[in-house]
């Protein structure tokens, strides 16, 4: 091959290479930049992207203290102040982790869910969290000595849980600020309080933590109180478990209640005891009155329209309940002798003389922590079965008292 032909061949190859490069550049320009997928490497799908992260939804049917709205990647949880104060209402924005916080909720406290660590400052909160399988997320409790849940006690002994009330407190509420700050819980569940002097939520916010108001104890019926399991499930995306458990409780409750209400003869019942000169009788619209009615008994103060307690003196109670068939929930007494030690006048009641005394303190630990006020709040079906066993033992012949015991 001569030099001229060789040079011509090299020239042709260079021309082809240039043409190919030009074609690639033209195609790339015509395609333009890559379109946004709506995802951010850190934030994940944007709010309103259309993906529903919450296939199971838990809506309250009995409880009146909270409401929830579901959106694609977040939930709007509204807390309704039980005392009717607008200033006591709260809005929580529960945002799925890895997604963006939606706009338009400037006044809402934001929680990224599912939460991984929490503080449960009331014993009534523990069973709800435990029953949906999230007991391991509880890192802070208050007054461990009054708690009955064995797993919580074991975790405390192992150093996995800390008691916020054990050390010297820098907060007027009696909570140890240092323990709370060090634990860095994703949420701090606190009980709603009417008196601002006992309200822990504002103090917790001052620490840079996020309080979550819980007011289940203000609900009027046993099932409404138990339904707060759905409230806790919202923070864990455990709605499916909460719905299943609550539906079972409602089914059992309604089934045994229907049997008890069908009994012709209803025994008369009164409750409580004299405390330093005042007898706090449950109101006729209280959850205790509801339990007694659902157990097929006649509560002697059923005509009263109070949801809380009625302060009475001994004489007023005796005038109404002297010949009542049953006396229940008489404080901490374990024996009839202990009752008489409180007030010898108790012996005048027919219920005392007829050995018809039953107290809700069958499950009390060595420090006085009563499981009736812990797991009993979450299991009104068991509480009701106890009462039916007391008032109508023939309906539940195989049931053994769980929260109640006979006082002799």
């Amino acid at each position: 091959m001569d030099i001229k032909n060789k040079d011509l061949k090299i020239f042709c190859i260079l021309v082809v290479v240039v043409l190919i490069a030009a074609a690639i550049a033209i195609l790339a320009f015509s395609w333009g930049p890559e379109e946004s997928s709506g995802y951010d490497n850190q934030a994940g799908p944007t709010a309103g992207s259309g993906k529903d992260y919450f296939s199971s939804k838990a809506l309250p049917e009995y409880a009146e203290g909270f409401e929830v709205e579901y959106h694609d990647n977040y939930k709007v949880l509204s807390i309704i102040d039980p005392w009717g104060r607008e200033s006591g209402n709260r809005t929580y924005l529960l945002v799925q982790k890895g997604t963006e916080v939606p706009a338009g909720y400037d006044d809402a406290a934001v929680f990224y869910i599912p939460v991984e660590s929490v503080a449960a400052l009331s014993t009534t909160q523990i069973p709800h969290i435990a029953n949906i399988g999230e007991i391991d997320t509880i890192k802070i409790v208050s007054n461990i000595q009054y708690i009955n849940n064995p797993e919580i006690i074991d975790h405390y002994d192992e150093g996995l849980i800390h008691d916020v009330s054990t050390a010297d407190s820098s907060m007027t509420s009696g909570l140890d600020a240092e323990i709370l700050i060090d634990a860095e819980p994703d949420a701090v569940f606190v009980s709603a309080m009417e008196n601002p002097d006992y309200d822990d939520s504002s103090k917790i916010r001052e620490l840079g933590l996020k309080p979550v108001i819980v007011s289940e104890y203000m609900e009027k019926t046993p099932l409404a109180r138990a339904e707060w399991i759905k409230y806790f499930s919202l923070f864990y995306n455990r709605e499916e478990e909460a719905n299943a458990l609550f539906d079972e409780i409602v089914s059992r409750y309604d089934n045994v209640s229907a049997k008890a209400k069908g009994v012709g003869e209803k025994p008369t019942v009164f409750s409580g005891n004299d405390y330093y000169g005042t007898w706090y009788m449950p109101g006729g619209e209280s959850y205790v009155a509801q339990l007694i009615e659902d157990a097929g008994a006649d509560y002697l103060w059923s005509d009263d329209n109070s949801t809380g307690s009625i302060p009475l003196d001994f004489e007023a109670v005796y005038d109404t309940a002297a010949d009542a068939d049953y006396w229940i929930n008489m404080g901490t007494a374990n024996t009839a002798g202990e009752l008489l030690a409180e007030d010898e006048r108790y012996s005048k009641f027919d219920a005392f003389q007829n050995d018809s005394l039953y107290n809700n303190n069958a499950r009390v630990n060595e420090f006085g922590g009563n499981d009736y006020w812990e797991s009993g709040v979450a299991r009104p079906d068991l509480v009701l079965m106890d009462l039916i066993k007391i008032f109508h033992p023939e309906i539940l012949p195989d049931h053994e008292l769980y929260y109640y015991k006979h006082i002799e």
Side-chain angles (χ1 to χ4, degrees):
M1 178 182 297
D2 56 24
I3 298 299
K4 186 178 291 186
N5 290 337
K6 184 176 180 181
D7 291 341
L8 180 61
K9 186 174 181 179
I10 292 173
F11 176 79
C12 291
I13 292 173
L14 290 174
V15 170
V16 171
V17 171
V18 171
L19 290 173
I20 292 173
I24 292 173
I26 292 171
L27 287 172
F29 181 83
S30 66
W31 286 339
E34 182 178 346
E35 294 183 1
S36 172
S37 63
Y39 287 75
D40 180 273
N41 287 336
Q42 294 183 347
T46 59
S49 64
K51 180 177 179 179
D52 185 0
Y53 282 86
F54 316 116
S55 57
S56 294
K57 298 172 174 57
L59 304 174
E61 300 176 43
Y62 299 83
E64 298 179 351
F66 70 95
E67 297 174 349
V68 60
E69 296 177 3
Y70 283 86
H71 299 266
D72 294 345
N73 70 310
Y74 65 96
K75 312 165 192 176
V76 181
L77 178 56
S78 301
I79 310 305
I80 303 164
D81 184 73
W83 297 280
R85 305 167 302 183
E86 187 174 346
S87 62
N89 296 335
R90 295 287 183 271
T91 301
Y92 302 138
L93 200 61
L94 312 184
V95 181
Q96 180 66 28
K97 286 182 178 177
T99 69
E100 291 184 0
V101 177
Y105 297 94
D106 295 340
D107 295 331
V110 178
F111 295 83
Y112 294 96
I113 58 171
V115 294
E116 297 179 7
S117 65
V118 302
L121 301 186
S122 170
T123 58
T124 60
Q125 300 159 6
I126 293 171
H128 293 307
I129 298 173
N131 289 343
I132 58 175
E134 295 290 350
I135 196 169
D136 289 343
T137 66
I138 299 177
K139 305 301 181 184
I140 293 289
V141 296
S142 180
N143 295 303
I144 184 69
Q145 68 271 27
Y146 298 126
I147 295 175
N148 285 271
N149 185 288
E151 287 187 76
I152 292 293
I153 296 171
D154 288 344
H155 288 180
Y156 176 78
D157 291 340
E158 295 166 6
L160 302 176
I161 287 178
H162 299 285
D163 186 347
V164 78
S165 64
T166 54
D168 290 338
S169 174
S170 61
M171 301 170 69
T172 58
S173 63
L175 302 180
D176 190 296
E178 185 176 350
I179 292 177
L180 274 171
I181 293 171
D182 289 346
E184 295 182 311
D186 297 331
V188 181
F189 292 111
V190 297
S191 295
M193 290 293 175
E194 183 177 17
N195 187 337
D197 292 338
Y198 296 98
D199 181 13
D200 292 326
S201 61
S202 59
K203 303 176 181 70
I204 290 168
R205 274 193 297 272
E206 291 172 2
L207 299 177
L209 301 175
K210 297 179 179 180
V212 178
I213 300 296
V214 182
S215 59
E216 93 294 333
Y217 74 97
M218 291 297 294
E219 296 286 352
K220 300 174 185 177
T221 70
L223 288 176
R225 292 187 174 198
E227 194 174 26
W228 278 70
I229 188 175
K230 296 181 181 180
Y231 179 83
F232 289 92
S233 76
L234 299 172
F235 290 85
Y236 294 95
N237 292 339
R238 288 281 199 168
E239 286 95 330
E240 183 176 1
E241 291 86 348
N243 286 333
L245 288 167
F246 184 68
D247 287 348
E248 290 178 6
I249 289 171
V250 172
S251 178
R252 280 191 295 267
Y253 190 102
D254 288 346
N255 181 53
V256 294
S257 178
K259 293 179 180 178
K261 288 182 176 180
V263 174
E265 187 175 348
K266 297 184 178 181
T268 53
V269 181
F270 70 108
S271 177
N273 62 314
D274 187 271
Y275 185 75
Y276 291 103
T278 301
W279 196 305
Y280 295 97
M281 189 68 64
E285 297 294 327
S286 67
Y287 81 98
V288 173
Q290 184 71 61
L291 278 166
I292 294 172
E293 178 185 345
D294 290 342
D298 179 14
Y299 181 50
L300 292 176
W301 275 264
S302 61
D303 291 338
D304 176 82
N305 59 6
S306 303
T307 58
S309 298
I310 316 163
L312 302 171
D313 58 29
F314 182 92
E315 289 73 20
V317 174
Y318 185 74
D319 287 345
T320 301
D323 58 354
D325 296 309
Y326 290 95
W327 179 9
I328 65 171
N329 302 359
M330 62 284 294
T332 61
N334 290 292
T335 66
E338 290 181 12
L339 277 175
L340 290 181
E342 293 178 11
D343 196 323
E344 292 184 355
R345 293 176 296 175
Y346 288 159
S347 63
K348 296 180 179 181
F349 290 101
D350 283 1
F352 187 98
Q353 297 173 14
N354 296 332
D355 200 26
S356 297
L357 311 174
Y358 290 87
N359 209 358
N360 55 357
N361 61 348
R363 299 173 57 80
V364 176
N365 67 23
E366 60 181 308
F367 301 104
N370 191 343
D371 196 32
Y372 177 87
W373 301 112
E374 187 175 328
S375 70
V377 175
R379 293 300 307 274
D381 53 327
L382 272 179
V383 175
L384 181 63
M385 292 170 72
D386 272 7
L387 292 174
I388 293 175
K389 179 68 174 184
I390 294 168
F391 305 146
H392 304 288
E394 73 281 358
I395 295 178
L396 297 174
D398 297 326
H399 177 72
E400 295 184 3
L401 296 181
Y402 191 76
Y403 295 109
Y404 278 83
K405 67 181 181 181
H406 187 208
I407 301 299
E408 301 178 272

